[in-house]
Amino acid sequence: MNIDPILKNDWHPVAAVRDLPAETITPVRLFGEELLLWQSGDRIMAWQDICPHRGARLSLGKVCGNTLVCPYHGLAYNPEGQCVLIPAYSTPKPPPNMRVKAYSCVERYGLVWVNLGETEAALSSDNIPPFLEWEDANFRKFLCGPFRYESSGLRAMENFIDVSHFPFVHDGFLGDANHTEVADYEVKTDSEGISLNNLKVWQPDPDGTGVGGEVTYNYRIWRPLTASFAKAAQGGKLGLFFTITPLEEEMCLGWMWIAMNYGQDIPEEDLRQFQETVVQQDIPIVESQRPKRLPLDLAAEVHLACDQSAIAYRKWLKRLGVTYGTV
């Protein structure tokens, strides 16, 4: 895997906990690597999807008690990835090198996050970006996605922080062809990422409630592939936490948590459908961009005054040393 240190040592979502039935094995993908998830009690493991014996895919095997059993020769591995049983012959202890490559894995916000790094500092789960509304009981929260993009995750993230496309891609929802101007907004880069503040736009339907008006966005880009925003509308607040799984350099999944402290009378399914409609409008546009990988050389594409967010994002990525999914 040719991954830059920044992304390798980041936490990345690979699956929703709701999609992991007990005693099952779930194949997932990250940075082109085939991984698997399985559970032993309340613990979720993330392993390389390959048996060290003859290279068979362990995700084709089965969970037996607190072991995962290879489908090819029945070798059983404990939650630490160590082989504890070789059925073909009797031995007091399988060799120490009969071990599956395991990765750090935690559950957060209903998602399974995996870190491919090895340093203690990188592996701290405190490095997972905060979902600011998560602990606030006043907010109704629901997960949308995953959404598949045949494009770099960095292109998908840049689309997320771009508001000047709203009147054209999301006309009638987040934008209106009669309200296309983007007013100046504040952009700051600091040790925690990038903030975009006081970004005002007019939206005919900001959130699926059908009530239009001017709204104010405040974005925070926490990590190269995770960002959030808070949007003030109807005297309430809508928070959105967006995080991306880099499946390949030109393929990704987007996960979107929505948090609202108003509109309690609107069915969740209606609100979910609104968000999914908006994302499905974005996907073909993002997939149409060439190159599919994000150019970090500012001279590679023409920039406009409304592109302050994208310019700051590209400069920040370059300074961090991000190369995966870029040109």
Side-chain angles (χ1 to χ4, degrees):
M1 295 180 288
N2 185 23
I3 316 168
D4 56 79
I6 292 297
L7 292 182
K8 182 177 181 180
N9 289 289
D10 261 353
W11 289 93
H12 304 281
V14 294
V17 176
R18 68 188 182 194
D19 297 330
L20 302 179
E23 299 184 356
T24 61
I25 305 171
T26 302
V28 296
R29 195 170 183 81
L30 183 63
F31 294 114
E33 179 84 356
E34 301 291 347
L35 308 179
L36 66 84
L37 303 176
W38 73 286
Q39 291 179 266
S40 175
D42 295 332
R43 181 179 172 189
I44 300 176
M45 273 68 63
W47 289 0
Q48 189 177 50
D49 192 5
I50 184 170
C51 180
H53 175 224
R54 286 295 180 267
R57 292 191 62 171
L58 288 170
S59 59
L60 299 176
K62 59 184 178 180
V63 176
C64 293
N66 67 341
T67 64
L68 188 153
V69 178
C70 176
Y72 198 6
H73 297 95
L75 278 67
Y77 297 90
N78 68 15
E80 282 65 49
Q82 179 64 50
C83 182
V84 293
L85 174 67
I86 302 176
Y89 64 92
S90 176
T91 177
K93 188 176 182 181
N97 63 345
M98 191 63 72
R99 189 179 186 89
V100 181
K101 173 65 176 177
Y103 296 107
S104 295
C105 176
V106 297
E107 177 188 339
R108 187 74 53 84
Y109 316 134
L111 298 172
V112 179
W113 300 72
V114 172
N115 191 317
L116 303 183
E118 298 175 354
T119 67
E120 183 176 347
L123 295 178
S124 170
S125 61
D126 292 340
N127 294 330
I128 295 176
F131 177 9
L132 299 178
E133 295 79 22
W134 183 253
E135 299 292 344
D136 192 332
N138 294 315
F139 284 83
R140 179 166 51 157
K141 294 170 277 286
F142 53 94
L143 177 64
C144 298
F147 303 103
R148 188 183 185 93
Y149 299 75
E150 298 287 337
S151 189
S152 164
L154 303 173
R155 281 284 198 190
M157 181 55 69
E158 189 175 89
N159 167 260
F160 177 70
I161 62 173
D162 179 309
V163 300
S164 63
H165 76 279
F166 288 175
F168 309 99
V169 180
H170 307 303
D171 187 21
F173 293 89
L174 302 184
D176 187 294
N178 297 314
H179 298 81
T180 59
E181 186 173 350
V182 177
D184 289 339
Y185 54 96
E186 182 184 74
V187 180
K188 289 185 178 180
T189 303
D190 55 33
S191 60
E192 291 187 336
I194 302 172
S195 62
L196 314 172
N197 295 317
N198 201 33
L199 211 166
K200 297 181 182 297
V201 294
W202 195 92
Q203 297 182 329
D205 190 0
D207 43 28
T209 63
V211 180
E214 184 180 72
V215 300
T216 301
Y217 282 86
N218 290 297
Y219 283 86
R220 167 58 76 169
I221 307 167
W222 303 98
R223 300 299 301 155
L225 293 171
T226 301
S228 62
F229 70 62
K231 178 164 65 172
Q234 298 187 49
K237 177 182 172 183
L238 182 147
L240 196 152
F241 180 87
F242 185 53
T243 186
I244 293 173
T245 307
L247 302 177
E248 305 274 357
E249 289 207 71
E250 298 181 0
M251 186 184 306
C252 66
L253 296 178
W255 306 85
M256 186 175 288
W257 269 105
I258 313 298
M260 297 175 64
N261 65 357
Y262 62 99
Q264 302 296 335
D265 57 327
I266 301 175
E268 180 180 306
E269 185 54 37
D270 292 351
L271 297 172
R272 186 191 305 277
Q273 184 57 55
F274 173 85
Q275 297 296 338
E276 294 188 355
T277 296
V278 168
V279 176
Q280 292 301 331
Q281 292 173 334
D282 278 321
I283 290 174
I285 298 297
V286 174
E287 292 183 338
S288 77
Q289 292 179 280
R290 296 294 182 273
K292 287 182 175 292
R293 303 181 191 191
L294 186 69
L296 297 191
D297 180 356
L298 294 183
E301 294 180 338
V302 178
H303 304 283
L304 306 175
C306 58
D307 294 325
Q308 297 177 65
S309 59
I311 293 170
Y313 182 55
R314 295 184 188 196
K315 286 181 176 179
W316 180 62
L317 292 176
K318 190 170 186 177
R319 187 162 61 252
L320 289 176
V322 175
T323 58
Y324 192 89
T326 74
V327 289

